[in-house]
PDB file of all heavy atoms in Angstrom:
ATOM      1  N   ILE B  29      -9.980  -7.417  16.883  1.00 98.00           N
ATOM      2  CA  ILE B  29      -9.843  -8.527  15.938  1.00 98.00           C
ATOM      3  C   ILE B  29     -11.086  -9.383  16.112  1.00 98.00           C
ATOM      4  O   ILE B  29     -11.300  -9.974  17.166  1.00 98.00           O
ATOM      5  CB  ILE B  29      -8.573  -9.354  16.231  1.00 98.00           C
ATOM      6  CG1 ILE B  29      -7.333  -8.462  16.113  1.00 98.00           C
ATOM      7  CG2 ILE B  29      -8.497 -10.544  15.283  1.00 98.00           C
ATOM      8  CD1 ILE B  29      -6.029  -9.170  16.469  1.00 98.00           C
ATOM      9  N   LEU B  30     -11.907  -9.405  15.070  1.00 98.00           N
ATOM     10  CA  LEU B  30     -13.173 -10.132  15.140  1.00 98.00           C
ATOM     11  C   LEU B  30     -13.056 -11.439  14.359  1.00 98.00           C
ATOM     12  O   LEU B  30     -12.679 -11.440  13.178  1.00 98.00           O
ATOM     13  CB  LEU B  30     -14.299  -9.279  14.564  1.00 98.00           C
ATOM     14  CG  LEU B  30     -15.709  -9.824  14.817  1.00 98.00           C
ATOM     15  CD1 LEU B  30     -16.138  -9.563  16.264  1.00 98.00           C
ATOM     16  CD2 LEU B  30     -16.727  -9.208  13.860  1.00 98.00           C
ATOM     17  N   TYR B  31     -13.413 -12.539  15.011  1.00 98.00           N
ATOM     18  CA  TYR B  31     -13.347 -13.844  14.369  1.00 98.00           C
ATOM     19  C   TYR B  31     -14.579 -14.046  13.478  1.00 98.00           C
ATOM     20  O   TYR B  31     -15.703 -13.725  13.870  1.00 98.00           O
ATOM     21  CB  TYR B  31     -13.287 -14.956  15.416  1.00 98.00           C
ATOM     22  CG  TYR B  31     -12.968 -16.302  14.793  1.00 98.00           C
ATOM     23  CD1 TYR B  31     -11.653 -16.635  14.488  1.00 98.00           C
ATOM     24  CD2 TYR B  31     -13.978 -17.209  14.482  1.00 98.00           C
ATOM     25  CE1 TYR B  31     -11.343 -17.854  13.893  1.00 98.00           C
ATOM     26  CE2 TYR B  31     -13.678 -18.429  13.886  1.00 98.00           C
ATOM     27  CZ  TYR B  31     -12.354 -18.739  13.602  1.00 98.00           C
ATOM     28  OH  TYR B  31     -12.054 -19.940  13.006  1.00 98.00           O
ATOM     29  N   ILE B  32     -14.367 -14.582  12.297  1.00 98.00           N
ATOM     30  CA  ILE B  32     -15.456 -14.777  11.327  1.00 98.00           C
ATOM     31  C   ILE B  32     -15.758 -16.267  11.193  1.00 98.00           C
ATOM     32  O   ILE B  32     -14.881 -17.071  10.859  1.00 98.00           O
ATOM     33  CB  ILE B  32     -15.067 -14.185   9.948  1.00 98.00           C
ATOM     34  CG1 ILE B  32     -14.705 -12.696  10.080  1.00 98.00           C
ATOM     35  CG2 ILE B  32     -16.191 -14.415   8.939  1.00 98.00           C
ATOM     36  CD1 ILE B  32     -15.797 -11.804  10.637  1.00 98.00           C
ATOM     37  N   ASP B  33     -17.026 -16.646  11.443  1.00 98.00           N
ATOM     38  CA  ASP B  33     -17.397 -18.059  11.355  1.00 98.00           C
ATOM     39  C   ASP B  33     -17.542 -18.536   9.918  1.00 98.00           C
ATOM     40  O   ASP B  33     -17.076 -19.615   9.566  1.00 98.00           O
ATOM     41  CB  ASP B  33     -18.724 -18.300  12.098  1.00 98.00           C
ATOM     42  CG  ASP B  33     -18.587 -18.102  13.592  1.00 98.00           C
ATOM     43  OD1 ASP B  33     -17.578 -18.582  14.157  1.00 98.00           O
ATOM     44  OD2 ASP B  33     -19.463 -17.447  14.188  1.00 98.00           O
ATOM     45  N   LYS B  34     -18.254 -17.764   9.133  1.00 98.00           N
ATOM     46  CA  LYS B  34     -18.516 -18.204   7.753  1.00 98.00           C
ATOM     47  C   LYS B  34     -18.193 -17.088   6.768  1.00 98.00           C
ATOM     48  O   LYS B  34     -18.568 -15.932   6.969  1.00 98.00           O
ATOM     49  CB  LYS B  34     -19.995 -18.573   7.588  1.00 98.00           C
ATOM     50  CG  LYS B  34     -20.371 -19.895   8.254  1.00 98.00           C
ATOM     51  CD  LYS B  34     -20.036 -21.087   7.373  1.00 98.00           C
ATOM     52  CE  LYS B  34     -20.501 -22.397   7.973  1.00 98.00           C
ATOM     53  NZ  LYS B  34     -19.492 -23.091   8.761  1.00 98.00           N
ATOM     54  N   HIS B  35     -17.512 -17.481   5.714  1.00 98.00           N
ATOM     55  CA  HIS B  35     -17.110 -16.528   4.693  1.00 98.00           C
ATOM     56  C   HIS B  35     -17.689 -16.995   3.356  1.00 98.00           C
ATOM     57  O   HIS B  35     -17.331 -18.057   2.862  1.00 98.00           O
ATOM     58  CB  HIS B  35     -15.573 -16.497   4.643  1.00 98.00           C
ATOM     59  CG  HIS B  35     -15.010 -15.485   3.713  1.00 98.00           C
ATOM     60  ND1 HIS B  35     -13.683 -15.488   3.346  1.00 98.00           N
ATOM     61  CD2 HIS B  35     -15.571 -14.427   3.075  1.00 98.00           C
ATOM     62  CE1 HIS B  35     -13.458 -14.466   2.516  1.00 98.00           C
ATOM     63  NE2 HIS B  35     -14.581 -13.825   2.341  1.00 98.00           N
ATOM     64  N   LEU B  36     -18.616 -16.215   2.809  1.00 98.00           N
ATOM     65  CA  LEU B  36     -19.222 -16.553   1.521  1.00 98.00           C
ATOM     66  C   LEU B  36     -18.501 -15.767   0.436  1.00 98.00           C
ATOM     67  O   LEU B  36     -18.189 -14.595   0.634  1.00 98.00           O
ATOM     68  CB  LEU B  36     -20.722 -16.186   1.536  1.00 98.00           C
ATOM     69  CG  LEU B  36     -21.527 -16.729   2.723  1.00 98.00           C
ATOM     70  CD1 LEU B  36     -22.937 -16.129   2.740  1.00 98.00           C
ATOM     71  CD2 LEU B  36     -21.607 -18.256   2.678  1.00 98.00           C
ATOM     72  N   ILE B  37     -18.240 -16.420  -0.667  1.00 98.00           N
ATOM     73  CA  ILE B  37     -17.556 -15.693  -1.747  1.00 98.00           C
ATOM     74  C   ILE B  37     -18.281 -15.915  -3.078  1.00 98.00           C
ATOM     75  O   ILE B  37     -19.004 -16.890  -3.246  1.00 98.00           O
ATOM     76  CB  ILE B  37     -16.066 -16.089  -1.882  1.00 98.00           C
ATOM     77  CG1 ILE B  37     -15.896 -17.574  -2.233  1.00 98.00           C
ATOM     78  CG2 ILE B  37     -15.302 -15.758  -0.610  1.00 98.00           C
ATOM     79  CD1 ILE B  37     -14.468 -17.931  -2.658  1.00 98.00           C
ATOM     80  N   HIS B  38     -18.071 -14.985  -4.010  1.00 98.00           N
ATOM     81  CA  HIS B  38     -18.622 -15.124  -5.369  1.00 98.00           C
ATOM     82  C   HIS B  38     -17.585 -14.648  -6.372  1.00 98.00           C
ATOM     83  O   HIS B  38     -16.512 -14.172  -6.000  1.00 98.00           O
ATOM     84  CB  HIS B  38     -19.954 -14.388  -5.490  1.00 98.00           C
ATOM     85  CG  HIS B  38     -19.861 -12.921  -5.266  1.00 98.00           C
ATOM     86  ND1 HIS B  38     -19.507 -12.038  -6.243  1.00 98.00           N
ATOM     87  CD2 HIS B  38     -20.034 -12.180  -4.135  1.00 98.00           C
ATOM     88  CE1 HIS B  38     -19.489 -10.815  -5.745  1.00 98.00           C
ATOM     89  NE2 HIS B  38     -19.797 -10.876  -4.468  1.00 98.00           N
ATOM     90  N   GLU B  39     -17.943 -14.737  -7.650  1.00 97.00           N
ATOM     91  CA  GLU B  39     -16.951 -14.554  -8.709  1.00 97.00           C
ATOM     92  C   GLU B  39     -16.441 -13.128  -8.877  1.00 97.00           C
ATOM     93  O   GLU B  39     -15.331 -12.921  -9.360  1.00 97.00           O
ATOM     94  CB  GLU B  39     -17.510 -15.082 -10.040  1.00 97.00           C
ATOM     95  CG  GLU B  39     -18.570 -14.216 -10.745  1.00 97.00           C
ATOM     96  CD  GLU B  39     -19.982 -14.410 -10.196  1.00 97.00           C
ATOM     97  OE1 GLU B  39     -20.145 -14.850  -9.046  1.00 97.00           O
ATOM     98  OE2 GLU B  39     -20.941 -14.073 -10.933  1.00 97.00           O
ATOM     99  N   VAL B  40     -17.223 -12.121  -8.460  1.00 97.00           N
ATOM    100  CA  VAL B  40     -16.846 -10.744  -8.805  1.00 97.00           C
ATOM    101  C   VAL B  40     -15.853 -10.120  -7.821  1.00 97.00           C
ATOM    102  O   VAL B  40     -14.949  -9.406  -8.228  1.00 97.00           O
ATOM    103  CB  VAL B  40     -18.105  -9.848  -8.953  1.00 97.00           C
ATOM    104  CG1 VAL B  40     -17.728  -8.405  -9.241  1.00 97.00           C
ATOM    105  CG2 VAL B  40     -18.973 -10.367 -10.093  1.00 97.00           C
ATOM    106  N   THR B  41     -16.011 -10.388  -6.542  1.00 97.00           N
ATOM    107  CA  THR B  41     -15.166  -9.687  -5.566  1.00 97.00           C
ATOM    108  C   THR B  41     -14.093 -10.581  -4.945  1.00 97.00           C
ATOM    109  O   THR B  41     -13.438 -10.183  -3.992  1.00 97.00           O
ATOM    110  CB  THR B  41     -16.016  -9.048  -4.447  1.00 97.00           C
ATOM    111  OG1 THR B  41     -16.767 -10.084  -3.806  1.00 97.00           O
ATOM    112  CG2 THR B  41     -16.964  -8.012  -4.981  1.00 97.00           C
ATOM    113  N   SER B  42     -13.913 -11.794  -5.499  1.00 98.00           N
ATOM    114  CA  SER B  42     -12.893 -12.672  -4.919  1.00 98.00           C
ATOM    115  C   SER B  42     -11.599 -12.827  -5.722  1.00 98.00           C
ATOM    116  O   SER B  42     -10.568 -13.137  -5.134  1.00 98.00           O
ATOM    117  CB  SER B  42     -13.493 -14.064  -4.648  1.00 98.00           C
ATOM    118  OG  SER B  42     -13.823 -14.703  -5.871  1.00 98.00           O
ATOM    119  N   PRO B  43     -11.588 -12.627  -7.070  1.00 97.00           N
ATOM    120  CA  PRO B  43     -10.355 -12.955  -7.806  1.00 97.00           C
ATOM    121  C   PRO B  43      -9.137 -12.178  -7.310  1.00 97.00           C
ATOM    122  O   PRO B  43      -8.048 -12.759  -7.155  1.00 97.00           O
ATOM    123  CB  PRO B  43     -10.666 -12.607  -9.264  1.00 97.00           C
ATOM    124  CG  PRO B  43     -12.027 -12.059  -9.321  1.00 97.00           C
ATOM    125  CD  PRO B  43     -12.663 -12.208  -7.986  1.00 97.00           C
ATOM    126  N   GLN B  44      -9.311 -10.888  -7.042  1.00 98.00           N
ATOM    127  CA  GLN B  44      -8.165 -10.082  -6.602  1.00 98.00           C
ATOM    128  C   GLN B  44      -7.699 -10.501  -5.209  1.00 98.00           C
ATOM    129  O   GLN B  44      -6.534 -10.320  -4.864  1.00 98.00           O
ATOM    130  CB  GLN B  44      -8.526  -8.600  -6.616  1.00 98.00           C
ATOM    131  CG  GLN B  44      -8.810  -8.012  -8.003  1.00 98.00           C
ATOM    132  CD  GLN B  44     -10.260  -8.163  -8.452  1.00 98.00           C
ATOM    133  OE1 GLN B  44     -11.041  -8.887  -7.848  1.00 98.00           O
ATOM    134  NE2 GLN B  44     -10.618  -7.479  -9.516  1.00 98.00           N
ATOM    135  N   ALA B  45      -8.604 -11.056  -4.404  1.00 98.00           N
ATOM    136  CA  ALA B  45      -8.222 -11.509  -3.057  1.00 98.00           C
ATOM    137  C   ALA B  45      -7.413 -12.804  -3.157  1.00 98.00           C
ATOM    138  O   ALA B  45      -6.406 -12.974  -2.454  1.00 98.00           O
ATOM    139  CB  ALA B  45      -9.463 -11.721  -2.195  1.00 98.00           C
ATOM    140  N   PHE B  46      -7.845 -13.721  -4.014  1.00 98.00           N
ATOM    141  CA  PHE B  46      -7.054 -14.933  -4.235  1.00 98.00           C
ATOM    142  C   PHE B  46      -5.672 -14.561  -4.777  1.00 98.00           C
ATOM    143  O   PHE B  46      -4.648 -15.124  -4.370  1.00 98.00           O
ATOM    144  CB  PHE B  46      -7.765 -15.872  -5.225  1.00 98.00           C
ATOM    145  CG  PHE B  46      -8.840 -16.731  -4.603  1.00 98.00           C
ATOM    146  CD1 PHE B  46     -10.176 -16.567  -4.953  1.00 98.00           C
ATOM    147  CD2 PHE B  46      -8.510 -17.720  -3.670  1.00 98.00           C
ATOM    148  CE1 PHE B  46     -11.171 -17.367  -4.393  1.00 98.00           C
ATOM    149  CE2 PHE B  46      -9.507 -18.525  -3.109  1.00 98.00           C
ATOM    150  CZ  PHE B  46     -10.835 -18.351  -3.472  1.00 98.00           C
ATOM    151  N   ALA B  47      -5.648 -13.595  -5.715  1.00 97.00           N
ATOM    152  CA  ALA B  47      -4.374 -13.179  -6.310  1.00 97.00           C
ATOM    153  C   ALA B  47      -3.445 -12.626  -5.237  1.00 97.00           C
ATOM    154  O   ALA B  47      -2.237 -12.886  -5.248  1.00 97.00           O
ATOM    155  CB  ALA B  47      -4.620 -12.133  -7.392  1.00 97.00           C
ATOM    156  N   GLU B  48      -4.020 -11.893  -4.289  1.00 97.00           N
ATOM    157  CA  GLU B  48      -3.212 -11.311  -3.216  1.00 97.00           C
ATOM    158  C   GLU B  48      -2.562 -12.415  -2.371  1.00 97.00           C
ATOM    159  O   GLU B  48      -1.377 -12.336  -2.031  1.00 97.00           O
ATOM    160  CB  GLU B  48      -4.082 -10.401  -2.356  1.00 97.00           C
ATOM    161  CG  GLU B  48      -3.346  -9.797  -1.197  1.00 97.00           C
ATOM    162  CD  GLU B  48      -3.632  -8.322  -0.994  1.00 97.00           C
ATOM    163  OE1 GLU B  48      -4.636  -7.828  -1.525  1.00 97.00           O
ATOM    164  OE2 GLU B  48      -2.824  -7.677  -0.295  1.00 97.00           O
ATOM    165  N   LEU B  49      -3.346 -13.442  -2.049  1.00 97.00           N
ATOM    166  CA  LEU B  49      -2.790 -14.578  -1.287  1.00 97.00           C
ATOM    167  C   LEU B  49      -1.610 -15.171  -2.030  1.00 97.00           C
ATOM    168  O   LEU B  49      -0.564 -15.460  -1.443  1.00 97.00           O
ATOM    169  CB  LEU B  49      -3.843 -15.692  -1.129  1.00 97.00           C
ATOM    170  CG  LEU B  49      -4.965 -15.563  -0.137  1.00 97.00           C
ATOM    171  CD1 LEU B  49      -5.657 -16.914   0.032  1.00 97.00           C
ATOM    172  CD2 LEU B  49      -4.466 -15.075   1.221  1.00 97.00           C
TER     173      LEU B  49
END
Side-chain angles (χ1 to χ4, degrees):
Chain B
I29 300 176
L30 191 76
Y31 190 81
I32 303 301
D33 293 317
K34 286 277 184 266
H35 185 193
L36 309 171
I37 62 168
H38 62 84
E39 75 278 23
V40 177
T41 58
S42 67
Q44 295 87 348
F46 278 114
E48 178 136 18
L49 284 193

